[in-house]
Amino acid sequence: MIKVVVKEPGKFAEVREIESGLKTFQKIVMGRIEGTALPGIEDVYGYCNEDGLYLENCLPNYYRPEYCDAVMGPAVFLGDDGEGGDISLTDSQIEQVKKYLDKNTVKSMEEFRFHVITKFKFCKK
């Protein structure tokens, strides 16, 4: 079991203990996984739904203003052991991840549409 942070659209980021592995990650993100990162947070990586942009049931979740984009659907974040292995997040990493996600969460569809139309020009960095 590893300690991770899961962020679902419209909800605050939460800490969970999960079994590490492809099937678990696919279940959390509701489909095929794609790697995602949170800028400025070292030794942490995550997964989101690879097809999230195209799936009707994947709502906008959080912005990544540094990349002028947003992640669609649920995402999960875990620690990196430096050799490609999954490990639990430290308490410090958990706080950094939750702070980033809560600050950049999509608050409404209207807000999201505005940022898409303006190509994230006004998204806070």
Side-chain angles (χ1 to χ4, degrees), residues 6 23 28-29 32 39 53 60-61 67 70 92 117:
V6 175
K23 290 196 185 294
I28 291 171
V29 304
R32 299 186 317 161
L53 188 60
N61 191 348
Y67 301 136
S92 174
I117 290 168

Side-chain angles (χ1 to χ4, degrees), residues 10-26:
K11 296 181 180 179
F12 289 108
E14 67 178 13
V15 177
R16 293 186 192 168
E17 283 201 17
I18 65 169
E19 193 173 314
S20 179
L22 178 63
K23 290 196 185 294
T24 303
F25 301 137
Q26 287 176 324

Side-chain angles (χ1 to χ4, degrees), residues 4 13 37 43 49 62 66-67 85 91 98 108 114 120 125:
V4 301
D43 299 324
N49 188 307
Y62 63 93
E66 300 85 353
Y67 301 136
D91 290 341
K98 288 177 73 175
S108 70
F114 172 78
F120 297 91
K125 292 187 181 178

Side-chain angles (χ1 to χ4, degrees), residues 32-85:
R32 299 186 317 161
I33 63 171
E34 175 180 30
T36 186
L38 297 177
I41 303 177
E42 293 188 28
D43 299 324
V44 172
Y45 67 99
Y47 297 114
C48 60
N49 188 307
E50 182 175 5
D51 303 311
L53 188 60
Y54 310 105
L55 297 174
E56 195 172 308
N57 64 339
C58 278
L59 298 173
N61 191 348
Y62 63 93
Y63 301 109
R64 295 187 312 168
E66 300 85 353
Y67 301 136
C68 296
D69 72 359
V71 171
M72 306 293 286
V76 58
F77 297 92
L78 48 146
D80 179 6
D81 70 358
E83 297 179 12

